[in-house]
């Protein structure tokens, strides 16, 4: 299955924006008649400008007849309600994604900039018996709990990743999924029901990952200035509505409203405005998805042509008139191929550059003052996202700067979350090395980045000295978290989880959590209520 979304009743008209389709009342002759009438009227006032398409569309779009729902809305609804996940590889990977996401969340609780955003919206607005927030004692309504969990998972930029035409972090959806799952589990327990199992939770994760990831394959929202958390809102709304027992119509209603919300601007991820919003944007998106799901369950209407409506729909209003593309059926492809951040809390396009720089650290650490230049070869997306010069204002700015991350790796032979803080960033050697760096695109890295059978994230680093000597060129095609290095990554992921648990919980509770996650099949048989009970901090 591959299709591009078009309005359901359509025609094809030559147009610079490749506009296709119209409602039954908007056939080409009608548009020509309206255009002629408008231009005749303007000529009476000596106005000779041509009439834009959208003006004619607006004049003609008077029919109140509703179309059938856009195909993508229907496909998402059918997928979350009816598709059976059969891939054990997907379930196994989801198990590791759950561990990895919780590790990121527990590590973030050591960061005051993160924890100040957590808890109820206003002091005291808790919900005893509500959704619990792992690693804390908060019990909140599911919308607020989704924000809390989503912020924790995303804060350190250390959670799993998906790279294609659009970028993103599928585990951002776990904020909404965990919050809804625990809310339902506690509600069921109050009525004597066993409730959702962890395997069902993993199934919900697989579906959220799939929706976000498949829609990211060929739809580049970043090219029009929109942020990838749009897809988190869409995926969370769909899966949360299904988890809450919604019908197909209700899922469509929730998802259509997620698209109707439009898109968040990417400005907070890029110079000169990079800031901490990128740490809570995903939490905001997944919680909004839960809110839209609850509205749908309460009977709130949806918008069947939210995507394809001429002029006012998502495609025309925010996607430059381009059709959204769904290149393959929804299944479990994304979960099976998701990228883990194992080694470094760094923007993913820089992971292999950091690995290369750490390899070079022993060769350059005693010769930092002798360096003439540093050449970094990278993929085209990295140049658009993390190529920065000049002052870096805050940790969020630094963890999205290729030059900063490579400098830290060359100087210290490491990259940790606290390396983005002011206490480290004030080291004058960092900016001195940044000033000597040359970033350039390697076309082979860009080609392999987009190749469906590879999805590499290659970088190469080489250091040149003033005396004419140079280090070897160290190239790394894909990081530890890539599927090609999955066997190498899993033991490191488990260790990442254990370290995060041990650092946050008491020895007794750490041991309980470790035993709970020790066997995947035993964990899958547990209820979500049992899982969450061992993750809260009393």
């Amino acid at each position: 299955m591959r299709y591009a979304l078009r309005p359901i009743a359509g025609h094809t008209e030559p147009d610079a924006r490749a506009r296709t389709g119209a409602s039954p009342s908007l056939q080409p002759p009608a548009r020509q008649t309206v255009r002629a009438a408008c231009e005749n009227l303007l000529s009476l006032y000596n106005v000779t400008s041509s009439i834009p398409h959208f003006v004619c569309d607006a004049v003609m779009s008077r029919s109140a007849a509703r179309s059938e729902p856009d195909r993508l809305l229907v496909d998402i609804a059918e997928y979350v309600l009816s598709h059976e996940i059969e891939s054990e590889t997907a379930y196994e990977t989801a198990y590791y994604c759950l561990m990895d996401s919780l590790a990121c969340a527990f590590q973030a609780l050591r960061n005051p900039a993160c924890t100040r955003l957590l808890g109820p919206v206003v002091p005291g607005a808790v919900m005893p018996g509500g959704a619990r927030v792992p690693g804390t004692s908060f019990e909140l309504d599911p919308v607020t709990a989704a924000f809390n969990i989503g912020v924790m998972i995303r804060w350190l930029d250390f959670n799993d990743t998906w790279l294609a035409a659009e970028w993103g972090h599928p585990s951002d959806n776990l904020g909404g999924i965990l919050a809804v799952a625990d809310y339902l589990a506690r509600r069921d327990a109050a009525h004597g029901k066993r409730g959702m199992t962890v395997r069902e939770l993993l199934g919900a994760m697989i579906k959220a990952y799939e929706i976000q990831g498949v829609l990211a394959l060929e739809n580049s929202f970043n090219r029009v200035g929109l942020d990838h958390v749009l897809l988190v809102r869409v995926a969370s709304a769909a899966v949360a509505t299904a988890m809450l027992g919604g019908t197909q119509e209700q899922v469509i209603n929730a998802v259509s409203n997620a698209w109707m919300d439009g898109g968040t601007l990417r400005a907070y991820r890029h110079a000169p405005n990079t800031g901490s919003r990128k740490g809570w944007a995903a939490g905001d998106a997944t919680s909004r998805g839960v809110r839209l799901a609850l509205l749908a369950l309460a009977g709130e209407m949806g918008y069947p042509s939210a995507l394809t409506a001429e002029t006012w729909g998502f495609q025309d209003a925010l996607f430059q008139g381009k059709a959204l593309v769904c290149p393959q059926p929804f299944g479990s492809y994304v979960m099976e191929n998701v990228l883990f951040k194992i080694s470094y809390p760094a923007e993913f396009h820089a992971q292999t550059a950091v690995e290369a720089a750490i390899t070079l650290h022993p060769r350059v650490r005693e010769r930092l003052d002798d360096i003439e230049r540093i050449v970094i070869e990278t993929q085209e997306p990295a140049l658009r996202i993390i190529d920065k010069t000049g002052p870096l204002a805050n940790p969020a700015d630094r963890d999205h700067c290729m030059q900063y991350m490579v400098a830290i790796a060359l100087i210290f032979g490491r990259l940790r979350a606290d390396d983005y803080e002011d206490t480290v960033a004030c080291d004058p050697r960092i900016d001195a090395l940044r000033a000597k760096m040359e970033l350039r695109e390697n076309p082979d890295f860009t080609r392999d980045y987009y190749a469906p059978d590879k999805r590499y994230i290659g970088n190469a680093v080489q250091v040149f000295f003033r005396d004419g000597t140079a280090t070897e060129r160290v190239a790394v095609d894909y990081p530890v978290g890539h599927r090609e290095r999955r066997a190498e990554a899993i033991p490191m992921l488990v260790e990442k989880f254990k370290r995060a648990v041990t650092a946050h919980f008491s020895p007794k509770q750490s041991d309980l959590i470790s035993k709970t996650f020790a066997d995947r099949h035993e964990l899958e048989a547990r209820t979500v209520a049992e899982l969450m009970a061992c993750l809260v901090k009393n």
Side-chain angles (χ1 to χ4, degrees):
M1 175 196 75
R2 176 189 174 87
Y3 61 83
L5 284 181
R6 308 290 187 189
I8 288 176
H11 69 280
T12 301
E13 173 192 4
D15 190 303
R17 297 189 309 149
R19 178 187 300 280
T20 59
S23 69
S25 62
L26 306 183
Q27 300 305 315
R31 177 180 281 116
Q32 295 166 7
T33 301
V34 170
R35 179 181 298 281
C38 289
E39 291 179 346
N40 287 337
L41 180 63
L42 290 178
S43 68
L44 296 176
Y45 296 91
N46 296 317
V47 177
T48 58
S49 300
S50 62
I51 308 300
H53 279 302
F54 73 86
V55 172
C56 297
D57 293 345
V59 172
M60 294 187 295
S61 297
R62 290 165 37 183
S63 172
R66 290 202 166 211
S67 66
E68 292 298 313
D70 289 327
R71 180 175 175 181
L72 179 60
L73 304 180
V74 175
D75 285 349
I76 290 174
E78 291 178 347
Y79 171 68
V80 296
L81 292 174
S82 305
H83 185 81
E84 294 293 329
I85 305 296
E86 298 178 350
S87 169
E88 280 304 310
T89 299
Y91 276 105
E92 180 183 32
T93 308
Y95 159 72
Y96 288 119
C97 286
L98 178 61
M99 293 177 65
D100 184 66
S101 300
L102 289 171
C104 295
F106 298 148
Q107 288 176 321
L109 289 172
R110 302 170 60 186
N111 191 304
C114 174
T115 56
R116 66 182 170 82
L117 302 179
L118 305 182
V121 175
V122 294
V126 295
M127 181 180 171
R132 292 164 287 193
V133 178
T136 77
S137 59
F138 293 129
E139 297 182 41
L140 306 168
D141 69 86
V143 175
T144 307
F147 176 82
N148 278 242
I149 300 168
V151 169
M152 291 161 54
I153 291 171
R154 186 74 196 102
W155 191 262
L156 295 179
D157 202 354
F158 210 6
N159 58 324
D160 58 36
T161 299
W162 186 251
L163 302 178
E166 186 54 58
W167 317 301
H169 307 274
S171 54
D172 290 345
N173 292 284
L174 191 54
I177 292 170
L178 264 183
V180 170
D182 195 42
Y183 164 72
L184 293 172
R186 303 190 84 183
R187 186 191 68 180
D188 289 344
H191 291 85
K193 299 179 182 178
R194 187 168 187 269
M196 177 182 288
T197 65
V198 173
R199 185 170 178 86
E200 291 170 322
L201 172 72
L202 299 180
M205 289 174 59
I206 294 169
K207 290 184 176 182
Y209 277 53
E210 188 74 359
I211 294 168
Q212 179 176 351
V214 168
L215 292 180
L217 288 175
E218 297 186 15
N219 299 301
S220 182
F221 301 98
N222 60 81
R223 292 283 187 181
V224 296
L226 301 181
D227 193 47
H228 52 71
V229 296
L230 159 66
L231 295 180
V232 176
R233 185 172 68 237
V234 169
S236 289
V239 173
T241 307
M243 293 172 68
L244 289 162
T247 63
Q248 179 168 317
E249 181 182 4
Q250 288 169 329
V251 174
I252 290 172
N253 291 346
V255 174
S256 70
N257 271 296
W259 287 104
M260 291 290 282
D261 275 359
T264 305
L265 300 179
R266 280 190 61 90
Y268 56 84
R269 297 189 189 275
H270 297 272
N273 292 298
T274 316
S276 57
R277 179 169 179 151
K278 70 185 184 65
W280 58 261
D284 185 54
T286 192
S287 67
R288 178 63 175 168
V290 174
R291 178 64 176 141
L292 294 174
L294 291 168
L295 285 173
L297 267 291
E300 180 57 24
M301 66 183 292
Y303 301 87
S305 58
L307 298 169
T308 61
E310 294 256 358
T311 308
W312 315 117
F314 181 88
Q315 292 180 163
D316 274 9
L318 294 175
F319 210 47
Q320 299 181 345
K322 293 178 290 188
L324 289 168
V325 175
C326 191
Q328 64 190 53
F330 296 119
S332 55
Y333 169 79
V334 176
M335 182 61 80
E336 292 170 8
N337 291 278
V338 75
L339 304 166
F340 289 111
K341 285 188 182 181
I342 305 294
S343 303
Y344 321 108
E347 205 283 335
F348 212 91
H349 294 87
Q351 291 274 322
T352 52
V354 173
E355 184 175 344
I358 289 176
T359 300
L360 291 174
H361 166 70
R363 298 161 179 77
V364 304
R365 62 186 175 189
E366 304 298 333
R367 303 185 64 187
L368 296 176
D369 292 337
D370 299 328
I371 293 175
E372 180 181 52
R373 60 193 172 95
I374 302 164
V375 175
I376 304 171
E377 301 167 45
T378 191
Q379 344 84 38
E380 182 275 336
L383 294 176
R384 283 193 287 130
I385 307 169
I386 53 176
D387 178 12
K388 293 181 183 177
T389 60
L392 300 173
N394 50 56
D397 220 359
R398 296 168 195 136
D399 75 13
H400 270 54
C401 174
M402 172 78 86
Q403 293 91 332
Y404 185 91
M405 291 180 274
V406 169
I408 292 289
L410 289 172
I411 295 169
F412 301 108
R414 66 166 197 250
L415 183 62
R416 305 185 307 226
D418 56 4
D419 286 326
Y420 301 116
E421 300 296 331
D422 294 346
T423 52
V424 175
C426 65
D427 189 325
R429 295 177 298 174
I430 299 172
D431 283 346
L433 286 189
R434 287 178 61 213
K436 297 176 181 180
M437 293 183 187
E438 302 173 10
L439 259 69
R440 61 181 66 157
E441 179 186 358
N442 182 318
D444 291 338
F445 289 159
T446 299
R447 184 191 65 245
D448 291 346
Y449 176 93
Y450 287 113
D453 60 335
K454 292 183 176 180
R455 299 291 183 192
Y456 291 174
I457 313 100
N459 283 284
V461 179
Q462 188 171 18
V463 178
F464 296 84
F465 298 100
R466 291 172 180 162
D467 63 4
T469 62
T471 68
E472 69 272 32
R473 174 182 177 272
V474 178
V476 183
D477 285 328
Y478 38 82
V480 172
H482 191 279
R483 188 171 184 176
E484 294 288 343
R485 295 174 71 179
R486 188 65 54 83
E488 180 184 353
I490 293 304
M492 298 170 67
L493 186 155
V494 173
E495 185 58 31
K496 173 184 174 181
F497 176 72
K498 289 181 178 178
R499 283 197 311 269
V501 169
T502 301
H504 186 68
F505 294 95
S506 67
K508 181 178 180 181
Q509 191 168 0
S510 296
D511 185 59
L512 173 62
I513 294 172
S514 294
K515 290 179 179 177
T516 300
F517 279 85
D519 185 280
R520 174 170 71 94
H521 298 291
E522 290 184 7
L523 176 66
E524 288 181 353
R526 289 176 179 264
T527 66
V528 171
E530 292 169 339
L531 169 65
M532 295 295 282
C534 80
L535 297 177
V536 296
K537 195 168 186 178
N538 298 315

